[in-house]
Amino acid sequence: MNDGPSPTKTTLAPPFSEEKPSAIELTPPHSTVHKLRILTLNMHKGFTVFNRQFVLPELRDAVRSLSTELVFLQEVHGSHKQHAQRHSNWPTTSQYEFLADTMWPEFSYGRNAVYPEGDHGNAILSKFPIIRFQNLDISIGRIEQRGLLHSVVKIPGHKEVHAICVHLGLRESHRKLQLFLLRDLIESLPLSAPVIIAGDFNDWRKRADAILATCNMREAFVNEYGKPAKSFPARWPILSLDRVYVRNASTQNPKVLLQRPWSHLSDHAPLAVEIFI
């Protein structure tokens, strides 16, 4: 049951917008995977704080070093013509394809913001097949373009695992409405299916837990330490903006990656969590 009003704007009705062919199986077909290592990061479009330096190649090396099965990314460029001209090491592919490289054979991208120079949004990189995905527009008004990237991942031994990459708005009134839309999406999913939600909630007032608890979502750092992780700004984190929630799963060893090189690769510190399904 819903405990609060849902916003009038909704994009949850349309079917999945993308169908993806099966990826190469990385695990023997009869084995079951119970443990997933995930990472979530607002990557600031591949730039350091205040856009002083383009560091996407260094970011790729850092992400690859963790060998995670699922990577949730926010503020990812699909394209940008001017940056491609200004930076000699700008990739010839999209940023999410550059990061995925040969390590994550599957990826999904949700384009949230489109402008003359290019576009950016959320992305999920996966070592397992993404069988379908949809990007849900949860923008409130015209100032900020926000979305929920919902991917269905085929994990060996499980029918479906739902992975949702989140980037919510800066205004509290917008975030509240967007959290109701996220709750509506969760409630539309099969009750027994594992659900993993990660991303930049911009939730420094810590309001998300109460809303998502109504659909049985539990936050990894709150479960482990009694409070959400401080992840912003990356070098001296004082605000709890990023989150990892699960349903029909458990979490262990949640960590904020504060050390170098992470502290210099974005304005957000990444969160790393082990999830058992």
Side-chain angles (χ1 to χ4, degrees):
M1 297 293 291
N2 291 347
D3 295 332
S6 294
T8 56
K9 179 179 181 180
T10 178
T11 58
L12 302 184
F16 281 96
S17 58
E18 299 285 347
E19 291 286 341
K20 291 183 65 71
S22 296
I24 298 172
E25 292 289 348
L26 302 181
T27 306
H30 297 295
S31 65
T32 298
V33 173
H34 292 293
K35 177 182 175 181
L36 298 172
R37 295 163 297 180
I38 78 154
L39 179 79
T40 181
L41 170 65
N42 182 325
M43 54 179 275
H44 198 52
K45 303 170 186 172
F47 290 88
T48 58
V49 179
F50 304 123
N51 297 324
R52 288 175 176 167
Q53 185 179 358
F54 179 63
V55 291
L56 189 67
E58 293 88 340
L59 178 61
R60 181 173 69 173
D61 291 341
V63 173
R64 287 172 63 89
S65 71
L66 299 179
S67 300
T68 54
E69 282 76 31
L70 290 173
V71 182
F72 296 71
L73 299 170
Q74 305 88 52
E75 292 197 14
V76 185
H77 269 307
S79 63
H80 198 289
K81 297 177 183 178
Q82 290 183 357
H83 288 333
Q85 294 171 352
R86 292 172 182 169
H87 303 280
S88 60
N89 57 345
W90 190 267
T92 57
T93 63
S94 64
Q95 288 189 341
Y96 55 89
E97 291 176 278
F98 178 80
L99 290 169
D101 196 26
T102 59
M103 195 163 186
W104 292 275
E106 292 280 288
F107 46 80
S108 56
Y109 173 62
R111 185 173 60 181
N112 295 333
V114 182
Y115 30 83
E117 298 83 7
D119 58 272
H120 72 263
N122 299 332
I124 295 176
L125 315 182
S126 174
K127 289 187 176 180
F128 301 108
I130 295 176
I131 54 180
R132 60 189 186 274
F133 70 92
Q134 60 179 341
N135 191 50
L136 305 176
D137 179 15
I138 57 168
S139 305
I140 309 297
R142 298 182 179 181
I143 297 177
E144 295 181 287
Q145 292 77 47
R146 304 294 183 181
L148 304 175
L149 176 60
H150 173 205
S151 298
V152 181
V153 187
K154 178 60 179 175
I155 308 293
H158 305 272
K159 184 177 179 181
E160 291 184 349
V161 174
H162 294 263
I164 304 171
C165 188
V166 172
H167 193 187
L168 302 187
L170 295 173
R171 298 184 181 184
E172 185 174 3
S173 60
H174 291 185
R175 288 196 303 276
K176 185 176 181 180
L177 296 174
Q178 290 161 349
L179 283 166
F180 288 142
L181 286 173
L182 176 58
R183 183 189 61 187
D184 291 344
L185 171 59
I186 298 165
E187 291 180 342
S188 74
L189 304 179
L191 289 176
S192 60
V195 181
I196 304 168
I197 303 174
D200 179 2
F201 281 70
N202 276 314
D203 183 33
W204 56 82
R205 294 184 181 272
K206 304 176 184 179
R207 305 291 171 84
D209 284 3
I211 294 174
L212 297 184
T214 62
C215 46
N216 298 316
M217 300 299 303
R218 302 187 309 277
E219 208 281 326
F221 289 83
V222 173
N223 276 353
E224 186 79 12
Y225 307 114
K227 56 185 178 181
K230 293 181 179 180
S231 57
F232 183 88
R235 297 189 185 187
W236 302 282
I238 58 174
L239 296 178
S240 300
L241 301 189
D242 302 275
R243 302 283 197 280
V244 176
Y245 291 92
V246 299
R247 187 174 80 179
N248 298 322
S250 60
T251 58
Q252 289 186 11
N253 301 319
K255 298 177 181 178
V256 189
L257 304 182
L258 299 174
Q259 70 279 12
R260 280 182 174 268
W262 300 107
S263 59
H264 295 266
L265 294 178
S266 176
D267 55 349
H268 285 244
L271 306 183
V273 181
E274 296 176 358
I275 295 178
F276 293 82
I277 56 177

